[in-house]
């Protein structure tokens, strides 16, 4: 091997410095590129990428299954909550209606007042029969009456109303004619319901029993 | 002295490279890495030659250029042929670096002794 002689000191130092500087200058850039490449999939081993893809696909499948389960649970919760709310509303409505029907709560509101006067004197007296009362009250309930009172006596679902001689007996309490029937509810519906041709008012009129229907803005019926 | 200058040049180059980073395209990064490996091998070889009193600037500089270029070209050729030829450069330069470091260490130890 040929022996190489020593170069001048300054040029030696200079060339060492330049080459070292050159290598050092590129090292950070190269390190940065390698670091960035490690964060991407470009420089990954295809086998590793296949494994990663399979893992991701499995993960995706798991997530889809989980999403389906969660969606079903959410739908069940929503359905049950909707059902519960509807049931609660229905039960509250039923409770309100029942309280009204049983007379547990006093009510006030617009309604109609029917004043019934029979002609018990004269040559041909006209008497209000039990059937007339039953028809009148049923028509009122059917027309949307929420609460009814007879001469201030509140009726309930289990009330009994019948004639007792010249008087009327309501739930064991005796009241006298003329009979004032107050009904709270949809005024128009109740009025129309009573005035149906061939209805209770026609029947009372036919039997010469005076019945005056008045619309009242505010009626109060207590228990 | 040469070792000190080398370290200073390397550190200064790294500092400048950090402050003024050079953009290396990702597709060429492997070749640049090989070239840098060859460059470091050349530096260590130059230090070894200087310590053993066999240093020649022309050989050193030409060795640095040619080794770096050949290493990069070898990597490129390997990629084109589908062969990991860059491993050859890595093995050669890596083992030579170890050898040069070992020689430098021995020379320095002998000088101190």
């Amino acid at each position: 091997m040929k022996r190489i002689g020593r170069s001048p000191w300054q040029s030696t130092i200079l060339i060492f410095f330049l080459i070292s500087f050159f290598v050092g200058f590129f090292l950070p850039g190269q390190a940065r590129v390698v670091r960035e490449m490690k964060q991407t999939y470009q420089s990954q081993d295809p086998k590793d990428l296949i494994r990663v893809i399979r893992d991701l696909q499995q993960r995706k499948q798991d997530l889809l299954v989980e999403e389906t389960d969660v969606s079903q649970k959410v739908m069940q919760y929503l359905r049950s909550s909707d059902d519960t709310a509807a049931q609660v509303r229905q039960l509250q409505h039923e409770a309100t209606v029942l309280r009204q029907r049983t007379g547990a709560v006093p009510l006030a509101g617009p309604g109609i007042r029917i004043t019934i006067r029979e002609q018990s004197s004269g040559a041909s007296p006209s008497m209000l029969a039990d059937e007339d009362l039953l028809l009148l009250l049923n028509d009122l309930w059917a027309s949307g009456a929420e609460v009814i009172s007879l001469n201030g006596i509140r009726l309930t679902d289990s009330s009994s109303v019948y004639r007792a001689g010249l008087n009327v007996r309501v739930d064991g309490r005796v009241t006298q004619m003329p009979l004032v029937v107050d009904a709270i509810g949809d005024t128009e519906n109740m009025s129309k319901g009573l005035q149906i041709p061939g209805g209770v008012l026609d029947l009372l009129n036919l039997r010469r029993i005076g019945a005056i229907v008045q619309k009242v803005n505010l009626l109060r019926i207590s228990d | 002295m040469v070792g000190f200058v080398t370290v200073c040049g390397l550190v200064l180059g790294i500092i400048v490279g950090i402050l003024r980073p050079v953009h290396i395209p990702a597709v060429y990064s492997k070749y640049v890495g090989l070239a840098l490996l060859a460059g470091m091998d050349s530096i260590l070889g130059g230090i070894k030659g200087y310590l053993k009193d066999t240093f020649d600037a022309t050989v050193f500089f030409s060795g640095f250029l040619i080794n770096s270029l050949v290493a990069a070209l070898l990597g490129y050729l390997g990629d084109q042929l589908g062969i990991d030829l860059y491993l050859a450069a890595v093995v050669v330069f890596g083992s030579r670096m170890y050898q040069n470091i070992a020689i430098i260490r021995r020379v320095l130890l002998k000088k101190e002794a």
Side-chain angles (χ1 to χ4, degrees):
Chain A
M1 182 178 283
K2 181 185 174 187
R3 182 176 173 81
I4 300 169
R6 171 172 284 202
S7 299
W9 183 80
Q10 288 178 339
S11 61
T12 302
I13 295 296
L14 183 63
I15 201 164
F16 265 104
F17 180 81
L18 286 176
I19 291 177
S20 301
F21 181 85
F22 184 79
V23 172
F25 177 70
F26 277 94
L27 280 176
Q30 174 68 10
R32 184 173 57 83
V33 172
V34 171
R35 192 169 59 247
E36 288 175 354
M37 285 176 64
K38 283 181 179 176
Q39 295 172 352
T40 65
Y41 291 113
Q42 287 180 343
S43 60
Q44 298 291 321
D45 187 2
K47 291 178 182 175
D48 292 338
L49 288 176
I50 291 171
R51 185 177 49 78
V52 169
I53 289 170
R54 283 179 180 166
D55 289 346
L56 287 173
Q57 286 176 338
Q58 182 63 39
R59 178 66 180 152
K60 180 185 174 187
Q61 194 67 30
D62 294 343
L63 286 173
L64 284 173
V65 172
E66 190 177 344
E67 183 199 7
T68 306
D69 292 344
V70 172
S71 297
Q72 287 178 348
K73 285 181 180 176
V74 168
M75 290 300 295
Q76 286 176 352
Y77 287 141
L78 287 174
R79 209 174 292 132
S80 65
S81 66
D82 287 348
D83 290 349
T84 305
Q87 288 172 357
V88 167
R89 281 197 299 273
Q90 180 65 24
L91 288 172
Q92 286 175 341
H93 176 71
E94 288 178 7
T96 304
V97 171
L98 286 174
R99 278 197 294 270
Q100 293 171 2
R101 292 286 172 86
T102 56
V105 290
L107 281 180
I112 58 174
R113 172 167 288 168
I114 308 155
T115 306
I116 300 172
R117 296 179 186 274
E118 56 185 11
Q119 296 179 357
S120 56
S121 61
S124 56
S126 59
M127 295 284 289
L128 185 73
D130 292 334
E131 296 83 7
D132 300 331
L133 267 177
L134 184 65
L135 185 62
L136 173 68
L137 296 176
N138 282 343
D139 279 357
L140 282 173
W141 289 126
S143 302
E146 295 174 8
V147 60
I148 300 173
S149 69
L150 287 179
N151 284 356
I153 302 170
R154 183 169 177 171
L155 301 182
T156 64
D157 284 346
S158 59
S159 292
S160 60
V161 180
Y162 54 91
R163 292 301 302 261
L166 295 176
N167 301 322
V168 176
R169 205 170 184 92
V170 181
D171 285 339
R173 297 164 65 180
V174 177
T175 184
Q176 296 176 335
M177 298 295 285
L179 203 60
V180 177
V181 182
D182 288 338
I184 295 176
D186 190 331
T187 308
E188 292 298 322
N189 274 353
M190 289 190 292
S191 180
K192 288 177 182 175
L194 294 177
Q195 291 172 356
I196 289 175
V200 65
L201 289 184
D202 282 351
L203 180 65
L204 292 176
N205 191 34
L206 186 65
R207 297 179 57 188
R208 292 184 289 112
I209 300 171
I212 302 169
V213 179
Q214 295 174 293
K215 292 181 181 177
V216 182
N217 289 331
L218 182 62
L219 284 173
R220 293 183 188 278
I221 299 177
S222 57
D223 52 353
Chain B
M1 183 66 184
V2 170
F4 177 73
V5 170
T6 303
V7 172
C8 285
L10 204 62
V11 171
L12 198 64
I14 290 172
I15 291 171
V16 174
I18 291 171
L19 295 176
R20 293 271 184 162
V22 60
H23 175 69
I24 301 170
V27 288
Y28 300 132
S29 67
K30 188 164 74 176
Y31 313 136
V32 173
L34 286 171
L36 290 175
L37 186 68
M40 286 188 283
D41 170 63
S42 296
I43 292 171
L44 288 172
I47 293 172
K48 182 196 76 175
Y50 181 81
L51 291 175
K52 294 183 79 174
D53 207 18
T54 57
F55 179 77
D56 187 286
T58 308
V59 173
F60 176 53
F61 187 71
S62 62
F64 168 74
L65 283 178
I66 297 299
N67 283 349
S68 299
L69 283 173
V70 168
L73 287 172
L74 207 62
Y76 177 75
L77 186 66
D79 284 347
Q80 297 304 310
L81 296 175
I83 305 168
D84 294 334
L85 275 180
Y86 73 94
L87 288 175
V90 170
V91 170
V92 169
F93 291 130
S95 61
R96 256 174 43 176
M97 284 172 69
Y98 270 107
Q99 289 173 358
N100 289 337
I101 289 170
I103 291 169
I104 291 167
R105 178 173 51 85
R106 287 195 196 99
V107 170
L108 289 175
L109 286 173
K110 279 184 182 176
K111 279 190 176 181
E112 284 186 5

